[in-house]
Amino acid sequence: MSLLSIGTVAFDAIETPFGKTDKIIGGAATYISLSASYFTQNLNLVAVVGEDFPAEYIALLNSKGINTDGLQIKKGEKSFFWSGKYHNDMNGRDTLITELNVLADFDPIIPASYQNCEYLMLGNLTPMVQETVINRLAKRPKLVVLDTMNFWMDVALEDLKRVLTKVDVLTINDEEARQLSGESNLLKAARKVLTMGPKTLIIKKGEHGALLINDNDKFYAPGLPLEEVFDPTGAGDTFAGGFIGYLASTGDLSFENMKRAVIHGSAMASFCVEKFGTENLLNLNKQMIADRVAEFSKLVNF
Ligand code: AMP
């Protein structure tokens, strides 16, 4: 089953209570693709970087089976750059810098070989670009999942509301669900967001897990208690990559299977936060992922 992911491929500078990085590789689509690569092999990426982006990292993505024919490299331009600082409890963070650079006028070109993709993951990016990608696909994918963040609610709310009418699943965090709906109660917020287009909503709650909600059902996945949490950056994207990767590998879009997909996404996110940046996502294997999923079962079975 083919999966197309879009989103930022970026440089990040991160500060957590445990340390600080200079520019390292990040970006929503980077985390999504690496995470999904453990579930499905037919994986295509659409994104844009500047001339400053290291060719070795693109080769690394390729070595994970990620097709980068749709990754544009803009001569003489700089890659998207984001810098953030986490609060002491690691749940909240402040964005210090967002430099759009190549993202400011990104025109996503879909290679012919990517057409007919069955699963589309619209990672965090300009809502207008997310919509353009949907419009440029000859056939609507079987499943469209969209992730976004408060930044786009602040600067492009109308565009975001328009693209929401075209997606199946929305993943946002609890604060973003409140901001988007104007409701402080999470269930009321969810109900309102479900009238905006998506049939299914996933509300991520950081270390406290994730809620999966549609008009008829609710499911709560806990966060796995971890001894080492170094850097939560990319956890949401890694979750999304695991979620849609699992759905693409099983081909079953029932609510019951989405529950399993949420647990697989949560397992992937738990690996992500244990090291800085994408480091921990580079050397996993199927057995390690299965063992993590088993830990989730053990945690909630009684
Ligand atoms: P997450 O921690 O899951 O929210 O994802 C963090 C990643 O999102 C980082 O690697 C950033 O490069 C990327 N990012 C930060 N701000 C934005 C933005 N406004 N649009 C798209 N990607 C962003």
Side-chain angles (χ1 to χ4, degrees):
M1 305 266 184
S2 61
L3 168 56
L4 168 57
S5 300
I6 72 154
T8 41
V9 172
F11 287 118
D12 292 342
I14 303 158
E15 197 175 331
T16 81
F18 302 102
K20 201 173 162 172
T21 67
D22 279 331
K23 284 188 175 181
I24 57 170
I25 307 293
T30 312
Y31 287 100
I32 290 168
S33 307
L34 286 171
S35 178
S37 73
Y38 289 95
F39 299 93
T40 174
Q41 279 309 297
N42 200 343
L43 195 49
N44 300 314
L45 174 67
V46 165
V48 64
V49 290
E51 206 176 1
D52 51 358
F53 198 80
E56 311 84 73
Y57 206 89
I58 298 175
L60 183 92
L61 294 176
N62 296 147
S63 75
K64 294 279 174 196
I66 301 161
N67 183 347
T68 54
D69 290 350
L71 177 66
Q72 298 173 36
I73 303 167
K74 294 279 181 189
K75 283 236 160 68
E77 293 190 42
K78 282 163 75 181
S79 302
F80 176 83
F81 173 61
W82 174 81
S83 167
K85 182 175 176 181
Y86 286 86
H87 305 160
N88 275 343
D89 67 0
M90 300 278 257
N91 281 323
R93 75 177 175 207
D94 297 317
T95 289
L96 305 177
I97 303 169
T98 301
E99 284 176 10
L100 293 180
N101 297 327
V102 283
L103 206 63
D105 55 0
F106 176 38
D107 184 28
I109 295 165
I110 320 282
S113 60
Y114 288 15
Q115 290 290 350
N116 296 321
C117 74
E118 290 168 290
Y119 294 82
L120 174 60
M121 181 66 229
L122 298 169
N124 191 12
L125 194 80
T126 328
M128 215 139 79
V129 172
Q130 294 177 316
E131 187 181 15
T132 303
V133 170
I134 297 179
N135 293 342
R136 288 187 178 167
L137 290 175
K139 205 172 109 216
R140 192 190 190 277
K142 192 169 152 183
L143 185 78
V144 181
V145 179
L146 183 140
D147 184 51
T148 188
M149 73 187 290
N150 53 354
F151 181 82
W152 301 114
M153 293 173 195
D154 294 337
V155 304
L157 183 62
E158 287 316 307
D159 292 340
L160 176 61
K161 283 187 174 165
R162 211 176 43 252
V163 69
L164 282 183
T165 64
K166 301 181 179 179
V167 310
D168 301 305
V169 181
L170 170 67
T171 69
I172 43 180
N173 70 28
D174 39 4
E175 260 179 61
E176 291 156 354
R178 291 187 173 104
Q179 180 171 349
L180 185 61
S181 63
E183 296 281 354
S184 56
N185 176 283
L186 261 197
L187 279 184
K188 284 188 183 159
R191 214 170 299 136
K192 202 150 166 193
V193 172
L194 287 172
T195 65
M196 295 177 166
K199 292 178 284 299
T200 306
L201 173 66
I202 295 174
I203 300 181
K204 300 168 284 181
K205 292 161 69 69
E207 69 170 329
H208 304 299
L211 270 168
L212 170 73
I213 305 179
N214 69 14
D215 278 338
N216 308 312
D217 282 306
K218 286 192 271 307
F219 172 68
Y220 171 67
L224 195 66
L226 296 167
E227 293 208 9
E228 310 273 17
V229 177
F230 274 100
D231 173 18
T233 308
D237 309 310
T238 304
F239 169 90
F243 174 78
I244 198 165
Y246 181 82
L247 291 176
S249 72
T250 53
D252 172 357
L253 299 182
S254 65
F255 193 78
E256 283 308 302
N257 202 47
M258 282 201 187
K259 290 184 188 176
R260 289 187 276 273
V262 165
I263 296 293
H264 281 78
S266 304
M268 295 308 291
S270 75
F271 286 118
C272 173
V273 302
E274 287 178 322
K275 299 236 168 92
F276 267 103
T278 56
E279 193 185 337
N280 219 21
L281 293 181
L282 299 177
N283 295 306
L284 301 175
N285 61 47
K286 290 213 151 108
Q287 190 55 53
M288 290 162 84
I289 296 167
D291 290 347
R292 267 285 147 107
V293 168
E295 282 186 52
F296 274 87
S297 285
K298 211 167 142 201
L299 185 68
V300 291
N301 253 328
F302 62 94

